[in-house]
Amino acid sequence: MIGKLVKDRVRSGKQAINELYNTGYYGRPKDDVLELTLVEAAYLLYKNKLEITMDENNLGFGEFFTEASKRQQFFELKYIVYKDLRERGYYVQPSVTDFRVYPRGGHPGRTQAKMFVYVRSERIPMLLKDLLSQYNAAQNVRKQMVLAIVDEESDITYYEIKKENIKGNMDTSLSSEETISATMLADRVLVWDEEDSKTLYENGFFGKPLDNERLQLSLVESAYLLEKGIVEIKNGTSGDTMDIDEFSGMSASIDPDFTRKYSTYVDLRSKGFVAKTGFKFGTHFRVYNEVRSFKKLPHSEYLIHAIPQDYEFFLPVMSRAVRLANSVRKEMLYAVEYAGGIEYIDIGRIKM
Amino acid sequence: MIGKLVKDRVRSGKQAINELYNTGYYGRPKDDVLELTLVEAAYLLYKNKLEITMDENNLGFGEFFTEASKRQQFFELKYIVYKDLRERGYYVQPSVTDFRVYPRGGHPGRTQAKMFVYVRSERIPMLLKDLLSQYNAAQNVRKQMVLAIVDEESDITYYEIKKENIKGNMDTSLSSEETISATMLADRVLVWDEEDSKTLYENGFFGKPLDNERLQLSLVESAYLLEKGIVEIKNGTSGDTMDIDEFSGMSASIDPDFTRKYSTYVDLRSKGFVAKTGFKFGTHFRVYNEVRSFKKLPHSEYLIHAIPQDYEFFLPVMSRAVRLANSVRKEMLYAVEYAGGIEYIDIGRIKM
């Protein structure tokens, strides 16, 4: 069977509709013509199911591949992913986000596509808003959104993108009858009184014991407790009592991510979670659904990183974060603040 | 026992030498006086082994702690680490890099210190050259160099810093009798011929098969093979043959880290390693000591990231890299190019 390369499509006749579309769902039949994308044509050429001509000349695989990559940006990447999906037994059709993929056992004309696949090179950073617009395109037609990242070696890693409605089980009831005194020293806040330390630590898992009497609070914990009127914080240098604006301003000068981390922290607490630093995992927070015993901590469910709306994912960094989270059986979520609140974006590796 | 706070030291009398130095190796005896650093004094105050006065007034723990943190930068961090080391049973003395730590069973006056501990906050980025100057200080007196990073929650993670002389076992002998043709398409290089593909893949594990005939080479592999005269590379768009300068220039415009990655790649190959992309781990390379069978890859020993001499470690990022490497039983190395060659810096978590 012969297909003709015209611009960024390969066209073949009626026989192709029978042999390629009706049996393998390659291309789209248009009247008596089967129209194939460049990746479909390259794959069929590789499978020896199609010959391709350009200006009456037959093209070898290398010639067609080179020609196609001049005509379509990221052709090689898309080919690599298309081939992989096909070889995994999926039927694939082109889509607004590169590919529509049919569920196993399903095919075009019978079933709905199950997922949208969006192909990226590991080398090209990805804007959060691009990721979300691809996600929304998939979401609007109720498809799963899958990101296929092709590395330097043409290995593909698949990620599923989801927005998550998360909910914890922690019921923190701190009474604020008597305000607890604390002091800010450099970049941490200390509670000196033994009873106070116990109250904060055992009711909500705030802070970390400095020793058996005193408690050390992180900046976000301190701001949270200060805003709730549970603690009052003295500046260790001047001895003056600080209000929330002063404290937040100082915290933001110590930790450039403070403001973003704080909004996420407040949101997580309001949703019934306990959030603690995720430093050891390289993220802002590790998050517990519930902490009942302070002697033995439970497993934390999530690693959460608070990112701005204009965030740009460096894909090797994202890959590392997700891989690390999975290796310790946690989900990696990115928290983004919008006018309506915080959204949690789950990026998880999947096996296709 | 009473100590007097004077500037950034606490001084106590002869009795202290007997009770604090001779039994616990706190402070440094100078004539009839025991001189304690602020962290030592704070720890003794906490242990109720010392009272501290300032201008004839007794200071409570909180008062002394607040006072000390005004007098010494990062006092809280150093206190947290000092206390942790003491409670793990080590004798600790001050040093150019914060602390000298004696081996278990050893103590000042009898044994040499075993390690130098350098205390940092997770929040403050660390210049590679600072790390190396601390390393050199330790190395000069043959001590182990340990980095103690204190996170937001006052949890401490200890890392040992080492320079590594690494050596692989791969003997790659590629004959360059006939030059192999390849084409650069966008950001990857393709070898079209089946025999050529086999030669490169099976002798040195270059590239990754695109399918059963063709091979795809990464930019560093291509540059390496081009410089050795093993391949010739055509520009897929213009059809022109490229020399190494042209190819390197183009590669550097595609991958900003190309030049640094390439020097490291060449060095690793010359040392008998096989380096492949470390994308899935968020680093430049994963490195094999030896690859014998291409059907089943062995475990890769190292993750290697090529960094410039003026590199600044963001500690949460470093922490994530090391943790991820350890979770997959690999060592995390940073490769730095100097005039004399590449140095490999091993940053590994240790238990104290």
Side-chain angles (χ1 to χ4, degrees):
Chain A
M1 207 157 344
I2 294 177
K4 267 176 80 172
L5 172 60
V6 182
K7 292 185 188 154
D8 65 346
R9 288 289 183 272
V10 170
R11 291 195 168 80
S12 192
K14 205 170 177 177
Q15 198 198 341
I17 299 181
N18 277 326
E19 292 187 18
L20 300 177
Y21 184 78
N22 291 343
T23 61
Y25 305 101
Y26 296 98
R28 274 108 354 253
K30 297 195 170 170
D31 301 325
D32 276 0
V33 170
L34 185 68
E35 190 180 270
L36 299 157
T37 58
L38 296 172
V39 293
E40 288 172 318
Y43 185 67
L44 291 166
L45 180 59
Y46 154 66
K47 298 284 273 182
N48 295 316
K49 288 186 175 171
L50 185 72
E51 289 172 53
I52 301 174
T53 62
M54 177 174 73
D55 309 328
E56 313 296 316
N57 297 315
N58 239 26
L59 297 176
F61 183 84
E63 289 165 318
F64 177 71
F65 207 87
T66 306
E67 198 49 55
S69 65
K70 286 185 208 168
R71 295 176 190 218
Q72 183 179 15
Q73 204 187 8
F74 306 124
F75 169 78
E76 322 76 47
L77 301 181
K78 292 177 208 279
Y79 176 75
I80 289 161
V81 174
Y82 179 83
K83 179 170 179 291
D84 186 65
L85 290 169
R86 272 283 175 179
E87 289 177 351
R88 288 175 188 279
Y90 290 105
Y91 292 118
V92 182
Q93 282 282 335
S95 134
V96 281
T97 54
D98 296 320
F99 301 123
R100 271 176 302 147
V101 175
Y102 288 79
R104 282 184 199 286
H107 62 72
R110 196 179 79 173
T111 28
Q112 292 271 314
K114 187 184 164 203
M115 49 184 102
F116 276 10
V117 173
Y118 178 44
V119 178
R120 301 283 306 196
S121 161
E122 63 148 304
R123 288 212 182 82
I124 303 170
M126 182 178 64
L127 284 167
L128 170 65
K129 67 177 168 50
D130 287 348
L131 182 72
L132 290 181
S133 83
Q134 302 296 341
Y135 171 80
N136 291 333
Q139 195 63 8
N140 283 339
V141 289
R142 286 180 302 164
K143 306 288 180 237
Q144 214 180 329
M145 155 72 183
V146 173
L147 179 64
I149 299 177
V150 183
D151 72 17
E152 206 178 3
E153 233 173 47
S154 301
D155 251 4
I156 309 164
T157 315
Y158 293 98
Y159 295 92
E160 184 177 357
I161 314 300
K162 282 186 286 192
K163 282 190 188 165
E164 289 264 19
N165 283 315
I166 53 173
K167 191 87 193 64
N169 294 314
M170 191 78 177
D171 179 23
T172 305
S173 48
L174 270 173
S175 78
S176 58
E177 277 170 38
E178 279 184 60
T179 311
I180 290 171
S181 296
T183 309
M184 181 174 199
L185 298 177
D187 69 350
R188 45 209 79 211
V189 172
L190 285 148
V191 176
W192 308 106
D193 182 78
E194 190 171 350
E195 275 308 303
D196 289 346
S197 294
K198 217 174 146 189
T199 302
L200 292 176
Y201 191 62
E202 296 185 1
N203 294 290
F205 193 36
F206 291 97
K208 164 120 196 257
L210 180 72
D211 52 39
N212 42 17
E213 286 179 40
R214 288 154 281 254
L215 190 72
Q216 181 262 311
L217 299 170
S218 72
L219 297 177
V220 289
E221 289 172 330
S222 306
Y224 179 79
L225 293 168
L226 177 60
E227 202 166 21
K228 293 242 175 219
I230 294 162
V231 300
E232 65 168 27
I233 302 174
K234 274 197 185 128
N235 181 323
T237 313
S238 67
D240 297 341
T241 300
M242 303 162 88
D243 65 16
I244 181 70
D245 292 339
E246 213 177 329
F247 183 79
S248 300
M250 228 167 138
S251 298
S253 74
I254 292 165
D255 179 354
D257 292 344
F258 174 79
T259 311
R260 210 155 49 230
K261 278 164 72 174
Y262 183 55
S263 323
T264 300
Y265 182 82
V266 170
D267 189 64
L268 287 168
R269 275 279 174 194
S270 79
K271 288 191 160 70
F273 288 105
V274 175
K276 305 296 282 185
T277 178
F279 168 72
K280 285 200 185 60
F281 308 101
T283 54
H284 289 144
F285 300 112
R286 63 180 203 278
V287 175
Y288 299 89
N289 264 341
E290 190 174 18
V291 178
R292 280 284 160 253
S293 159
F294 304 94
K295 307 257 154 61
K296 195 179 176 302
L297 279 178
H299 177 71
S300 60
E301 268 76 18
Y302 303 107
L303 296 181
I304 296 189
H305 208 66
I307 58 176
Q309 289 181 28
D310 63 357
Y311 189 72
E312 200 173 26
F313 288 97
F314 285 84
L315 298 177
V317 174
M318 187 200 88
S319 173
R320 180 189 281 173
V322 173
R323 185 166 186 126
L324 176 54
N326 294 349
S327 81
V328 290
R329 297 176 299 118
K330 301 181 199 302
E331 263 177 75
M332 180 71 216
L333 303 182
Y334 291 89
V336 195
E337 190 174 13
Y338 292 96
I342 310 272
E343 282 191 350
Y344 296 90
I345 297 157
D346 179 354
I347 302 187
R349 267 178 87 174
I350 52 165
K351 289 209 167 164
M352 289 295 285
Chain B
M1 207 157 342
I2 293 177
K4 266 175 80 173
L5 172 61
V6 182
K7 291 184 188 154
D8 64 348
R9 290 286 182 274
V10 171
R11 292 195 167 80
S12 193
K14 206 171 177 176
Q15 196 197 344
I17 298 181
N18 277 328
E19 291 187 17
L20 299 178
Y21 184 79
N22 292 342
T23 60
Y25 306 101
Y26 295 98
R28 278 125 329 270
K30 299 194 169 171
D31 302 324
D32 277 358
V33 170
L34 186 68
E35 190 181 271
L36 298 158
T37 57
L38 297 173
V39 292
E40 289 173 319
Y43 185 68
L44 290 166
L45 181 59
Y46 153 66
K47 298 284 274 181
N48 297 316
K49 289 185 175 172
L50 185 72
E51 287 171 53
I52 301 174
T53 60
M54 177 174 73
D55 310 328
E56 314 295 318
N57 297 315
N58 240 23
L59 298 175
F61 183 84
E63 288 166 317
F64 177 70
F65 207 87
T66 306
E67 198 51 56
S69 63
K70 287 184 207 168
R71 295 177 190 217
Q72 183 179 15
Q73 204 187 8
F74 307 124
F75 168 78
E76 321 77 47
L77 300 182
K78 292 177 209 279
Y79 176 75
I80 288 162
V81 173
Y82 179 84
K83 178 170 180 289
D84 186 65
L85 290 168
R86 272 282 175 180
E87 289 178 351
R88 288 174 187 279
Y90 290 105
Y91 292 118
V92 182
Q93 282 283 336
S95 135
V96 280
T97 53
D98 295 322
F99 302 122
R100 271 177 302 148
V101 176
Y102 288 79
R104 282 184 199 287
H107 61 72
R110 195 179 77 173
T111 27
Q112 293 272 312
K114 185 184 164 204
M115 50 184 102
F116 276 10
V117 173
Y118 178 45
V119 177
R120 301 282 305 196
S121 161
E122 64 148 303
R123 287 210 182 85
I124 303 170
M126 182 178 63
L127 283 168
L128 170 65
K129 67 176 169 49
D130 288 348
L131 182 71
L132 289 181
S133 83
Q134 302 296 340
Y135 171 81
N136 291 333
Q139 195 62 7
N140 284 339
V141 289
R142 286 180 302 164
K143 306 288 179 239
Q144 214 180 330
M145 155 72 183
V146 173
L147 178 65
I149 299 177
V150 183
D151 72 17
E152 205 178 5
E153 231 172 49
S154 301
D155 250 5
I156 309 165
T157 315
Y158 293 97
Y159 296 92
E160 185 179 357
I161 314 299
K162 282 186 287 191
K163 283 190 188 166
E164 289 265 18
N165 283 317
I166 54 174
K167 190 89 191 64
N169 293 315
M170 192 77 178
D171 179 21
T172 304
S173 48
L174 268 174
S175 79
S176 59
E177 277 171 38
E178 279 184 60
T179 313
I180 288 171
S181 297
T183 311
M184 181 174 199
L185 297 177
D187 68 349
R188 46 210 78 207
V189 171
L190 285 149
V191 176
W192 308 106
D193 181 79
E194 190 170 349
E195 275 309 303
D196 290 346
S197 294
K198 218 175 144 185
T199 301
L200 293 175
Y201 191 60
E202 296 186 1
N203 294 290
F205 195 34
F206 292 97
K208 164 116 196 260
L210 180 71
D211 51 39
N212 40 18
E213 287 179 39
R214 288 153 280 254
L215 190 72
Q216 181 261 310
L217 299 170
S218 73
L219 297 177
V220 288
E221 289 172 330
S222 306
Y224 179 79
L225 293 168
L226 177 59
E227 202 165 20
K228 292 242 174 220
I230 294 162
V231 300
E232 64 167 28
I233 302 175
K234 275 198 185 125
N235 181 323
T237 313
S238 67
D240 297 341
T241 300
M242 302 163 88
D243 66 15
I244 181 72
D245 292 341
E246 212 179 328
F247 183 79
S248 299
M250 228 167 136
S251 297
S253 75
I254 292 166
D255 178 354
D257 292 346
F258 174 79
T259 311
R260 210 153 52 229
K261 278 165 72 174
Y262 183 55
S263 324
T264 301
Y265 182 83
V266 170
D267 189 64
L268 288 168
R269 276 278 173 192
S270 79
K271 288 191 159 69
F273 288 106
V274 175
K276 305 296 283 184
T277 178
F279 168 72
K280 287 201 184 59
F281 307 102
T283 54
H284 289 144
F285 300 113
R286 65 181 201 277
V287 176
Y288 299 89
N289 263 342
E290 190 175 19
V291 179
R292 279 282 159 256
S293 159
F294 304 93
K295 306 258 154 59
K296 197 181 175 302
L297 279 177
H299 177 71
S300 60
E301 268 75 17
Y302 303 107
L303 295 182
I304 297 190
H305 207 67
I307 59 176
Q309 289 180 29
D310 63 357
Y311 189 72
E312 203 174 23
F313 287 97
F314 285 85
L315 299 177
V317 174
M318 188 200 87
S319 171
R320 180 190 282 175
V322 174
R323 185 166 188 127
L324 176 54
N326 295 349
S327 82
V328 291
R329 296 176 299 118
K330 301 179 200 303
E331 263 177 75
M332 180 72 216
L333 303 182
Y334 291 88
V336 195
E337 189 173 12
Y338 293 96
I342 309 273
E343 283 191 348
Y344 296 90
I345 297 156
D346 178 352
I347 302 186
R349 268 177 86 175
I350 52 167
K351 288 208 167 167
M352 288 297 283

